[in-house]
Amino acid sequence: MRAGRNAMGLKTTLALGRIARAGVLSLLFAAVLTPPTAAQDHSDPTETQPDARPNNPEMTAIFEADQAARKKPDIDWEKVAIEDAARRKRVGELLDAGALQSGDDYYHAAFVFQHGDAPSDYLKAHALALLAVSRGRKSATWIAAATLDRYLMAIGQPQIYGTQFTKRDDGWSQEPYQRELLSDALREASSVPPIAQQERQRSALSERDTGE
């Protein structure tokens, strides 16, 4: 009898073991087949969904005024500097209020701060340009490069893209310029002309001034 009970106990133990293993396998398959929840989904929605944020009309008007001020004949730069400061102040208020949301808004704001007069203005412009790219304004890659160059030169460091040209007594210059840091392929990806084209542009500027 005791042998029979032991045999039955062994069979019961084996059966329970098979049930337990089956349960573990079921849980493993469930873990593989169950789709991730929203909290587990780490994909970037901007990669697949278009940016539908509306543009701020006031920001658009400020940007247009910023550009128009630089297209007038016989520009009074002292007056423009005063107007630029007022535009930066207002754009800063719009940013602080969360009133700017679209890629175009950040693109326009980047140009306004690029026309600042302090390294912090240029660094802020660079941050805004990066936001513009992330929200769908792909052409903001150029202003992102230009604002970084301008910031670097403002703190006494060489530019790396070659977007900044400075008029000196002996002609136009891009120095200091660390040309070798980035390849022309990376410049092209940022909508910046290659070094050879930059050289032609710099020479053309110097020749134009010589002929005046």
Side-chain angles (χ1 to χ4, degrees), residues 77 150 153 159 163-176 179 198-212:
W77 287 110
R150 187 164 291 191
M153 295 188 80
Q159 62 174 321
T163 60
Q164 305 299 298
F165 295 78
T166 305
K167 188 175 182 180
R168 298 179 178 177
D169 292 339
D170 58 348
W172 288 82
S173 173
Q174 293 171 277
E175 302 305 327
R179 291 168 174 78
Q198 294 174 17
E199 288 292 333
R200 291 194 294 271
Q201 182 179 354
R202 185 182 59 79
S203 296
L205 288 169
S206 295
E207 290 173 3
R208 182 198 65 184
D209 288 351
T210 301
E212 289 179 351

Side-chain angles (χ1 to χ4, degrees), residues 15-201:
L16 290 172
R18 286 194 295 269
I19 292 171
R21 286 194 296 272
V24 171
L25 288 173
S26 297
L27 289 173
L28 289 173
F29 280 117
V32 172
L33 297 175
T34 303
T37 62
Q40 296 169 325
D41 187 0
H42 298 292
S43 63
D44 184 354
T46 61
E47 292 294 324
T48 56
Q49 299 178 11
D51 192 301
R53 295 177 177 88
N55 295 336
N56 184 299
E58 184 179 1
M59 184 66 251
T60 302
I62 292 172
F63 170 72
E64 291 174 349
D66 171 271
Q67 295 297 294
R70 288 161 169 78
K71 296 176 182 177
K72 297 177 181 178
D74 301 323
I75 298 173
D76 182 346
W77 287 110
E78 289 186 5
K79 179 182 178 183
V80 170
I82 295 171
E83 295 171 346
D84 282 347
R87 281 189 280 267
R88 288 195 303 278
K89 181 176 184 297
R90 180 55 185 154
V91 173
E93 293 169 350
L94 292 173
L95 287 166
D96 292 345
L100 306 184
Q101 294 294 323
S102 72
D104 284 349
D105 285 344
Y106 288 122
Y107 176 78
H108 294 155
F111 272 91
V112 171
F113 277 95
Q114 187 208 24
H115 294 147
D117 53 14
S120 59
D121 291 330
Y122 312 141
L123 190 57
K124 190 169 189 175
H126 180 64
L128 292 167
L130 295 179
L131 278 171
V133 174
S134 72
R135 296 203 172 178
R137 184 64 188 253
K138 301 305 180 185
S139 60
T141 53
W142 181 86
I143 189 66
T147 50
L148 180 57
D149 273 351
R150 187 164 291 191
Y151 169 72
L152 288 170
M153 295 188 80
I155 62 172
Q157 297 298 312
Q159 62 174 321
I160 60 174
Y161 286 96
T163 60
Q164 305 299 298
F165 295 78
T166 305
K167 188 175 182 180
R168 298 179 178 177
D169 292 339
D170 58 348
W172 288 82
S173 173
Q174 293 171 277
E175 302 305 327
Y177 183 6
Q178 192 173 351
R179 291 168 174 78
E180 68 281 1
L181 182 64
L182 300 179
S183 66
D184 277 346
L186 289 177
R187 289 185 177 86
E188 181 182 2
S190 298
S191 303
V192 175
I195 289 177
Q197 186 174 338
Q198 294 174 17
E199 288 292 333
R200 291 194 294 271
Q201 182 179 354

